[in-house]
Amino acid sequence: MVMACRIINKRRHMGLQQLSSFAGTGRTFLGPLKSSKFIIDAECHESVLISSTVRLLESLDLTSAVGQLLNEAVQAQNNTYKTGTSTLLFLVGAWSSAAEECLHLGVPISLVVSVMSEGLNSCIEEVVSLQVPVHNVFDHIDSTKTFSGLETFSVSLCPFLQIPSDTGLQKEHDLKDVASPSLTIYDLSGIPVKSSKLLRPQAEVEADKNKVQNPQTLKNSLLTGNHYRKSVLIHSRHFNRTDNNQWINKQDGFLEQHGAAPPNTYRCNDFVELEMGLSHGDQSSMKLVDEAVRLQYQNASMQQGNCTMPFRFDISRIFTCRVPGVPETFSCACPGFITVVSISNTTLIKELQNQPNRIILIEGDLTENYRHLGFNKATNINTLLESMKVQQDSSEELWTNYVLQILIKFNVNLILVQGNVSEHLIEKCIHSKRLVLGSVHSSVMQAFAEASGAVQVTYVTQVNENCVGNGVSVTFWRSIPSDVIDSINIITIVIKTEGINLVTVVLTSPVTAQMQSKEDRFWTCAYRLYYALKEQKVFLGGGAVEFLCLSHLQILAEQSLSKRNHVCSGWLHNTSSWLASSLALYRSTVLKCLANGWHKYLSALIYNTANCSSEFEASTVIQQHLQNATDSGSPSSYILNEYGKLNSGIFNSGISNKLEQIPRIYDVVIPKTEAWRRALDLVLLVLQTDSEIITGLGHTQLNSQETEGFLFL
């Protein structure tokens, strides 16, 4: 799909304008009420329904350098966390506009890079106060209520997605919307970590997640002209950052801010409460995640027996199987490996399901020409004698017969292959009542190796009796109406063995175009829960952390402006004072522009939740809350106190007054701040790259005639 054109002003920064243009296509993906998009292929006229940033960018024309950088950042976020991409895309657009505005106001690029980076770092440190510990959520999982038991409870919105009662904007129908059980907020979260690179490896995130700046030192550097970090573009994708300051850790592992008001105490010890808080309105997907986790927990309990080792949610042993054309009520989580095969295998499956099967596991391809690299002969060399043979079996036929002999010798009925499989071999195996499945994930192979006793081999010639696993069952998944099976032309089978640590979530939908979106939403919920359990902490969600960032930056900007006014009183007598006042003025401007990005984010979030009829109205709501937070003297305490008054009726009139029935909204910690960092790193990378190209050593050698028509980036 080719994106609609947007007018680009060649007198302003080209790269930043392109980033804003790309980012504008995904603003409707923010929040729980996403507006899906139909993507239509111009060539084959097929369509697919998408509701995620990743699928959107896959469909756009991203051949430009800026487009490819954006796609790289989004793919890195998605490949690592499976969440946070909508936040990343929106902030790329908002902060591109902010950086462009700074340039328009004459702020030097080096100062834009320095202050924006330090401003974001200060925000990440400030929101530590909104972290909620997650402990012992599995202690009572057997006796606790199930996830489906909460579907009828009221789910409250974050106070900062509500319309304050004193603005005159709240209406009766809005209150009904707030009480809707399906309406929650949509945000993704992260943890304070330090890195400057656009594409950060997971190991680096893990190593750095407890290394952050001292907030007071960072705040002082933002408010004075004595220090600002210089970022020099030394590589095509990354730029240097230096940072030696650290937080002081408390005994419980959380970070302590000096001078901050003591926050209210929040803890999450209930598994279902955690799931509800992380579902962000997508209860159907989180319900499937809940089923998968409980199956893993039951299997782990059976395997451990009297052992008291703590349970860990292993997301690498969760898989999905898409079955289009089947009603959504068939969606569920089941133990074992579930996959779809051609309807032509029906007779074979009936033969295999009434007997214990022996299995072998092939790590590589199962084809005639798959050999060790040293044994692959040149493809452009033919032996004359071989080419003159008449009516003799081909080499593939000979190889196929040899493989069948091995399978018959060891009485193997089931072959799982990690790579590709010869179509000719598959047909031969079907005739001999043997099932071969290719492109099987490595974790599935490992799970069957552990449970059946099979040993994975690279080549079929390595198979011996010790490599064969036993006790594997093959059955049909569920009884699906015959007319449905005929229409989709596939059957779904279950392959499992006793004690296998493997869960497959079957995703069904009568609308084929919805399948990709349904799978994406499931993995988003699964990874939110995974990171929450792994880090044992979550953020208070619903825009709370973004609101605190906005309030914090505005305070820093005002303090920086006051510092500038103080310096200005003596600038006529001292040249250095005049320079310091200029830096202070620029610093305030950059911080305000950065804060404006958060303001746009919250406005779009509130507008997308249908609480306000326009983004202007949403902006008014945010301004009211900002005033209240400023008047309170401590924005973080204001946020925590408002969360504590969810049952007071101030923001949630008409909602049940039983606080325990109002699940809080949570965001996982690592993905959110990583999305923030990637968004800003991308913006500053494009900003500096254009600067380096335009102001490089060779630019003065080009005359105006030569440079006419050049389009940087």
Side-chain angles (χ1 to χ4, degrees):
M1 184 184 77
V2 179
M3 187 181 65
C5 296
R6 169 183 158 176
I7 297 176
I8 302 294
N9 186 351
K10 292 188 177 181
R11 294 184 178 181
R12 305 191 73 169
H13 197 288
M14 300 291 295
L16 295 179
Q17 290 182 85
Q18 290 179 35
L19 278 181
S20 297
S21 181
F22 282 123
T25 61
R27 64 186 298 112
T28 59
F29 293 154
L30 280 180
L33 305 181
K34 297 177 178 60
S35 297
S36 300
K37 299 177 184 290
F38 263 110
I39 303 297
I40 302 175
D41 193 312
E43 296 180 357
C44 59
H45 302 289
E46 293 183 353
S47 63
V48 63
L49 186 68
I50 64 168
S51 58
S52 72
T53 298
V54 176
R55 304 306 167 192
L56 174 65
L57 294 185
E58 287 177 352
S59 306
L60 293 180
D61 180 12
L62 300 176
T63 55
S64 67
V66 171
Q68 296 212 10
L69 284 173
L70 174 61
N71 187 54
E72 240 180 80
V74 171
Q75 289 294 341
Q77 178 76 15
N78 182 69
N79 293 339
T80 305
Y81 304 114
K82 294 293 188 295
T83 185
T85 54
S86 296
T87 295
L88 189 158
L89 182 66
F90 188 94
L91 290 178
V92 162
W95 286 337
S96 293
S97 299
E100 189 181 353
E101 182 64 20
C102 290
L103 295 182
H104 183 63
L105 296 174
V107 182
I109 289 178
S110 59
L111 196 58
V112 173
V113 173
S114 177
V115 177
M116 276 194 167
S117 300
E118 292 176 358
L120 179 61
N121 291 337
S122 182
C123 288
I124 291 174
E125 292 153 358
E126 187 73 12
V127 298
V128 169
S129 61
L130 299 185
Q131 288 183 0
V132 177
V134 176
H135 293 307
N136 307 321
V137 293
F138 292 113
D139 284 358
H140 306 288
I141 191 173
D142 290 331
S143 59
T144 187
K145 53 187 176 296
T146 62
F147 182 82
S148 59
L150 270 179
E151 290 182 350
T152 57
F153 288 4
S154 297
V155 179
S156 68
L157 292 174
C158 167
F160 308 106
L161 296 184
Q162 308 284 328
I163 301 177
S165 57
D166 55 351
T167 62
L169 297 174
Q170 197 167 26
K171 303 173 184 177
E172 182 178 355
H173 68 83
D174 294 326
L175 296 176
K176 293 178 181 178
D177 290 339
V178 170
S180 171
S182 64
L183 193 59
T184 55
I185 53 80
Y186 179 85
D187 270 324
L188 307 171
S189 316
I191 195 169
V193 288
K194 285 285 173 190
S195 180
S196 62
K197 296 183 179 179
L198 182 62
L199 306 178
R200 305 180 68 218
Q202 178 67 15
E204 184 178 337
V205 175
E206 296 294 337
D208 292 347
K209 64 183 179 181
N210 288 322
K211 298 179 182 179
V212 289
Q213 274 191 334
N214 182 292
Q216 193 61 44
T217 303
L218 180 57
K219 186 180 297 185
N220 291 339
S221 71
L222 284 166
L223 300 180
T224 63
N226 298 330
H227 166 76
Y228 65 90
R229 186 185 58 211
K230 296 180 180 179
S231 297
V232 181
L233 184 67
I234 62 169
H235 206 275
S236 62
R237 296 294 169 90
H238 310 290
F239 41 89
N240 286 346
R241 291 182 179 177
T242 57
D243 190 358
N244 298 320
N245 297 317
Q246 293 187 358
W247 282 78
I248 297 177
N249 288 295
K250 295 170 64 178
Q251 292 182 355
D252 58 2
F254 285 82
L255 304 179
E256 182 177 26
Q257 298 186 32
H258 295 289
N264 293 343
T265 301
Y266 289 95
R267 288 188 178 275
C268 180
N269 301 318
D270 182 78
F271 182 59
V272 177
E273 175 194 340
L274 179 64
E275 289 180 314
M276 285 297 298
L278 294 172
S279 67
H280 294 183
D282 191 358
Q283 297 185 7
S284 60
S285 296
M286 188 58 82
K287 184 176 184 297
L288 293 174
V289 176
D290 176 78
E291 293 178 11
V293 174
R294 290 177 185 272
L295 284 173
Q296 271 199 358
Y297 181 84
Q298 293 171 7
N299 182 71
S301 300
M302 293 175 60
Q303 296 298 318
Q304 292 178 5
N306 296 327
C307 182
T308 58
M309 289 188 63
F311 168 72
R312 291 181 179 273
F313 174 35
D314 187 357
I315 200 168
S316 68
R317 296 298 176 92
I318 305 293
F319 295 90
T320 55
C321 176
R322 294 192 288 182
V323 186
V326 179
E328 291 191 5
T329 53
F330 281 77
S331 295
C332 65
C334 303
F337 177 51
I338 301 179
T339 187
V340 294
V341 296
S342 172
I343 196 172
S344 61
N345 290 282
T346 303
T347 303
L348 172 60
I349 303 304
K350 289 180 180 179
E351 291 283 345
L352 297 178
Q353 69 176 349
N354 296 320
Q355 62 183 27
N357 297 282
R358 287 162 63 84
I359 186 175
I360 61 172
L361 308 172
I362 308 294
E363 290 180 316
D365 292 348
L366 190 54
T367 58
E368 187 272 336
N369 58 0
Y370 181 75
R371 300 181 178 88
H372 186 278
L373 293 176
F375 294 94
N376 285 335
K377 67 179 181 179
T379 58
N380 60 344
I381 298 178
N382 291 324
T383 304
L384 183 61
L385 181 62
E386 287 185 354
S387 64
M388 294 178 59
K389 290 181 180 179
V390 181
Q391 294 183 350
Q392 186 172 1
D393 289 341
S394 67
S395 60
E396 183 176 9
E397 183 70 23
L398 291 172
W399 173 83
T400 301
N401 292 333
Y402 175 68
V403 173
L404 281 175
Q405 290 177 8
I406 294 176
L407 300 179
I408 294 171
K409 176 181 179 181
F410 296 106
N411 193 25
V412 174
N413 313 98
L414 179 62
I415 305 96
L416 299 186
V417 184
Q418 190 171 335
N420 299 320
V421 183
S422 166
E423 291 292 337
H424 187 55
L425 177 63
I426 292 177
E427 294 177 4
K428 287 274 190 178
C429 287
I430 291 176
H431 293 149
S432 63
K433 299 180 181 180
R434 288 172 172 81
L435 179 63
V436 183
L437 298 177
S439 302
V440 179
H441 195 277
S442 59
S443 294
V444 175
M445 305 277 286
Q446 181 62 32
F448 275 101
E450 295 170 356
S452 69
V455 177
Q456 300 183 60
V457 296
T458 305
Y459 309 101
V460 70
T461 54
Q462 297 173 314
V463 174
N464 56 44
E465 184 62 35
N466 296 328
C467 299
V468 182
N470 298 281
V472 180
S473 66
V474 180
T475 60
F476 292 101
W477 170 54
R478 288 180 66 173
S479 178
I480 300 176
S482 58
D483 57 331
V484 175
I485 294 178
D486 293 337
S487 64
I488 61 179
N489 202 33
I490 57 175
I491 57 174
T492 310
I493 61 173
V494 183
I495 305 174
K496 61 181 180 180
T497 187
E498 184 178 355
I500 189 168
N501 181 21
L502 197 65
V503 176
T504 304
V505 176
V506 183
L507 303 173
T508 63
S509 175
V511 182
T512 304
Q514 290 182 342
M515 292 306 304
Q516 184 65 66
S517 175
K518 192 177 182 71
E519 184 175 22
D520 290 341
R521 289 188 287 111
F522 167 79
W523 284 117
T524 296
C525 287
Y527 271 87
R528 283 198 202 117
L529 182 61
Y530 169 73
Y531 279 106
L533 295 172
K534 179 181 179 181
E535 297 303 313
Q536 297 187 343
K537 64 184 79 168
V538 289
F539 277 139
L540 290 176
V545 287
E546 289 82 3
F547 178 82
L548 182 56
C549 289
L550 171 59
S551 179
H552 178 64
L553 287 176
Q554 287 197 344
I555 292 174
L556 290 180
E558 291 174 1
Q559 292 176 347
S560 181
L561 192 60
S562 299
K563 175 71 175 179
R564 190 265 301 182
N565 293 335
H566 176 72
V567 174
C568 276
S569 61
W571 73 346
L572 294 178
H573 306 285
N574 192 329
T575 304
S576 62
S577 297
W578 175 85
L579 179 60
S581 67
S582 298
L583 294 176
L585 176 61
Y586 285 145
R587 187 168 284 106
S588 175
T589 300
V590 175
L591 290 174
K592 287 180 179 179
C593 290
L594 187 65
N596 190 45
W598 290 123
H599 195 113
K600 289 180 179 179
Y601 179 93
L602 290 170
S603 296
L605 192 61
I606 296 174
Y607 174 67
N608 288 350
T609 58
N611 273 2
C612 295
S613 59
S614 66
E615 291 196 22
F616 176 78
E617 184 178 326
S619 179
T620 304
V621 173
I622 296 170
Q623 289 294 350
Q624 180 64 44
H625 280 298
L626 283 173
Q627 186 61 49
N628 294 341
T630 302
D631 294 342
S632 71
S634 174
S636 60
S637 297
Y638 171 76
I639 294 171
L640 294 170
N641 290 335
E642 292 304 325
Y643 260 91
K645 295 189 294 185
L646 282 178
N647 62 335
S648 65
I650 295 178
F651 294 105
N652 299 278
S653 300
I655 293 182
S656 169
N657 59 2
K658 295 182 179 180
L659 184 59
E660 65 273 10
Q661 291 189 4
I662 306 178
R664 294 191 184 96
I665 301 152
Y666 295 128
D667 283 332
V668 284
V669 177
I670 288 182
K672 180 177 282 292
T673 51
E674 279 301 292
W676 294 355
R677 290 184 185 278
R678 282 192 169 105
L680 187 60
D681 284 346
L682 175 59
V683 170
L684 299 183
L685 175 61
V686 172
L687 171 65
Q688 291 186 110
T689 303
D690 268 9
S691 172
E692 184 178 80
I693 294 173
I694 296 171
T695 63
L697 296 178
H699 82 285
T700 56
Q701 301 173 5
L702 297 175
N703 57 40
S704 59
Q705 184 177 0
E706 290 173 329
T707 57
E708 185 177 358
F710 274 70
L711 179 63
F712 299 107
L713 280 185

